[in-house]
Amino acid sequence: MGKQKNASLSFPDGSTGGNFPVLSGTVGPQAVDIRSMLAETGKVTYDPGFLSTASCRSSITYIDGDKGVLLYRGYPIEQLAAQCDYLEVCYLLLFGELPNKEQKLEFDTKVIRHTMVHDQINNFFRGFRRDAHPMAVLVGTVGALSAFYHDSLDLDNPSHRDISAYRLIAKTPTLAAMAYKYTIGQPFVYPSNSLSYTANFMRMLFGVPAEEYQVNEVLVRALDRIFILHADHEQNASTSTVRLAGSSGANPFACIAAGIACLWGPAHGGANEACLDMLEEIGDVSRVGEYIEKAKDKDSGFRLMGFGHRVYKNYEPRAILMRETCHEVLGELGLENDRLFKLAMELERIALEDDYFVERKLYPNVDFYSGIVQRAMGIPNNMFTCIFALARTVGWIAQWQEMISDPEQKIGRPRQLYTGQAKRDVVPISQRG
Ligand code: ACO
């Protein structure tokens, strides 16, 4: 990353100010380093939603939203999805390089050995109502891990940060499966070290003590792909939340719980659940046109869930891969004629041809298809975001680790454009009209 020419600002009164370095990354837009702006000009920038603001330097994930490119540590997501499993991708995100065979074996073993949770956590679950949303339970129990692992909370100690990373990647699936089992009143299924990360999760989710769980490799591969596609995604809302929480020195379990809370929103990770709810509401292919019109009507407050993305203004690569997996899974399960799947395909067809969506570059996003895949696998709608959260945990951790080791890291503290009352005096209550 090199420094280039400096930029300055010109203001409406004709004055100019500032001497801001223009920074270049490896690829992607240049960034104007405006950190000295307030001191130099007495002015701040205004950028709600961070539309044009780079909040950090990062070498983990790169997105070119116009071209539909997603790279993890430089590798295209298409190649990773075709050639690697999820834990290989986790290794890559955490350490920057793909593992060789020995490194992979060591890493997989380490993660798999950390999948059990402290037995006291079982009691913690019992404090929740049985009808709680699994995401509410996941936020609470992941946050609670910081009460169980005091031994690894020294942020200045790299081995503490590493052990916390392993614990979070390994235990979040266990907690997500427990959240599900708890809400349906089935006993918790303990992890099995003889299975892969993803097969183990499926067993903890669907297995029961009364019978042996049969692993279906096509479905395991599909879920593993969902994990890979959701593993990291640059400085999105939940990742920025994790970084912001972590910038104060909060422990990683608390930071990841904050990320999970942010992910829950329907504009972010909650979109695949909201998308399936929307498909259920539409109910029949004959009503697709009506809902397309509703999505185009600004007064309706309705948006087509699973369409559009802040960064991608093209068909996103994750959606293309997930569409492929969707067809594979439905084929494997003999569900090609599934009512909601047919409805989703019709919605996709019409939206891709409609001027409103074409002009605004609104394409189906990964969540449009991942919800259909998960539903076909028997995963209930309210678990979709938990699955996103467990897959994203590695990305959050990698980004958190990167932030902690960044010498430029500061507590996140945005400025504001104040629009409230200027200073005024309190009138005694007896004199107020
Ligand atoms: N349905 C209908 N219209 C839409 C949709 C949609 N899903 N998404 C955007 N638009 C319209 C907006 O109304 C706006 O129209 P206008 O220019 O006439 O005012 C235009 O497209 C641009 O929309 P913005 O809200 O400015 O785009 P932004 O980048 O802020 O929002 C977002 C992106 C939040 C993802 C949005 O597209 C959305 O709400 N989509 C539905 C929810 C969803 O699927 N989220 C998943 C995101 S992917 C993820 O988290 C993994």
Side-chain angles (χ1 to χ4, degrees):
M1 175 164 311
K3 272 189 185 178
Q4 297 204 343
K5 289 176 192 157
N6 286 9
S8 63
L9 287 169
S10 50
F11 299 104
D13 64 2
S15 63
T16 56
N19 187 23
F20 310 121
V22 179
L23 308 176
S24 299
T26 333
V27 275
Q30 292 185 313
V32 182
D33 178 352
I34 48 112
R35 279 175 291 179
S36 62
M37 185 169 165
L38 181 59
E40 285 190 54
T41 68
K43 295 183 173 59
V44 295
T45 55
Y46 178 64
D47 186 14
F50 307 111
L51 295 175
S52 300
T53 296
S55 58
C56 60
R57 296 175 197 248
S58 182
S59 60
I60 302 175
T61 296
Y62 174 73
I63 303 172
D64 183 330
D66 293 326
K67 293 197 183 123
V69 169
L70 170 61
L71 310 177
Y72 290 168
R73 301 283 190 184
Y75 295 109
I77 191 71
E78 294 85 349
Q79 292 180 25
L80 294 169
Q83 296 178 52
C84 302
D85 71 15
Y86 175 67
L87 284 187
E88 258 171 287
V89 171
C90 287
Y91 186 100
L92 172 69
L93 290 170
L94 287 171
F95 305 116
E97 295 297 339
L98 283 166
N100 61 28
K101 274 189 188 160
E102 291 76 43
Q103 288 165 329
K104 172 153 170 53
L105 184 65
E106 193 190 338
F107 181 73
D108 287 11
T109 309
K110 239 173 159 172
V111 171
I112 286 166
R113 291 271 159 80
H114 279 98
T115 47
M116 272 177 66
V117 290
H118 193 291
D119 213 43
Q120 192 67 16
I121 291 251
N122 295 359
N123 300 337
F124 196 87
F125 269 88
R126 300 197 197 291
F128 288 100
R129 285 171 57 131
R130 292 270 179 187
D131 61 356
H133 193 289
M135 276 297 275
V137 178
L138 194 65
V139 174
T141 50
V142 170
L145 290 180
S146 48
F148 287 83
Y149 300 107
H150 308 281
D151 60 332
S152 61
L153 297 183
D154 178 3
L155 304 186
D156 296 326
N157 184 332
S159 69
H160 281 207
R161 303 205 301 258
D162 280 352
I163 188 76
S164 295
Y166 281 107
R167 283 177 171 152
L168 275 157
I169 294 163
K171 294 181 201 305
T172 308
T174 311
L175 293 174
M178 288 170 85
Y180 173 57
K181 288 298 195 192
Y182 183 74
T183 55
I184 59 167
Q186 284 187 4
F188 298 138
V189 175
Y190 285 100
S192 163
N193 289 1
S194 61
L195 293 174
S196 70
Y197 183 86
T198 304
N200 174 51
F201 173 66
M202 288 180 73
R203 181 178 163 275
M204 290 191 293
L205 201 62
F206 296 124
V208 285
E211 61 187 41
E212 198 63 35
Y213 178 70
Q214 300 298 328
V215 174
N216 177 325
E217 286 304 337
V218 174
L219 302 188
V220 169
R221 184 69 204 144
L223 191 59
D224 202 73
R225 181 175 269 195
I226 291 182
F227 291 170
I228 292 173
L229 300 186
H230 288 86
D232 194 46
H233 213 228
E234 217 225 50
Q235 307 309 318
N236 56 83
S238 55
T239 302
S240 300
T241 301
V242 170
R243 280 185 177 260
L244 196 55
S247 76
S248 73
N251 74 68
F253 302 103
C255 295
I256 302 303
I260 296 173
C262 176
L263 187 76
W264 194 359
H268 192 8
N272 51 14
E273 179 180 349
C275 178
L276 251 284
D277 291 345
M278 176 191 76
L279 293 177
E280 300 274 10
E281 187 188 316
I282 300 175
D284 191 77
V285 174
S286 62
R287 298 184 65 205
V288 168
E290 177 193 326
Y291 276 81
I292 295 264
E293 288 314 309
K294 202 171 155 192
K296 287 154 60 173
D297 173 9
K298 300 279 177 230
D299 296 332
S300 71
F302 172 79
R303 283 187 169 198
L304 271 195
M305 286 293 130
F307 276 78
H309 196 277
R310 168 59 62 80
V311 180
Y312 293 111
K313 302 301 169 196
N314 201 329
Y315 224 121
E316 59 152 313
R318 303 177 306 170
I320 296 168
L321 290 159
M322 198 34 67
R323 190 177 197 278
E324 189 184 289
T325 298
C326 191
H327 286 279
E328 261 168 43
V329 166
L330 293 165
E332 167 73 11
L333 298 172
L335 293 173
E336 296 97 330
N337 290 322
D338 175 71
R339 181 179 57 92
L340 288 194
F341 178 56
K342 286 177 105 175
L343 202 163
M345 292 303 104
E346 182 62 2
L347 193 64
E348 177 202 61
R349 190 186 67 76
I350 298 184
L352 288 176
E353 287 172 358
D354 191 292
D355 283 349
Y356 174 95
F357 292 89
V358 174
E359 277 162 18
R360 289 169 180 75
K361 300 184 177 168
L362 298 170
Y363 293 87
N365 57 48
V366 63
D367 290 331
F368 183 70
Y369 303 104
S370 71
I372 299 169
V373 174
Q374 292 179 67
R375 175 176 172 273
M377 291 169 75
I379 299 172
N381 297 10
N382 66 1
M383 276 300 289
F384 296 172
T385 320
C386 286
I387 285 172
F388 190 162
L390 83 83
R392 181 57 59 83
T393 296
V394 68
W396 289 328
I397 286 283
Q399 300 267 353
W400 174 83
Q401 291 259 38
E402 184 177 63
M403 181 202 63
I404 298 278
S405 348
D406 182 352
E408 293 190 335
Q409 188 266 326
K410 278 187 179 316
I411 185 167
R413 183 20 177 120
R415 296 282 173 164
Q416 63 174 12
L417 183 64
Y418 177 66
T419 57
Q421 296 280 353
K423 182 173 178 284
R424 54 183 173 164
D425 295 322
V426 172
V427 177
I429 194 163
S430 57
Q431 292 168 32
R432 283 177 229 155

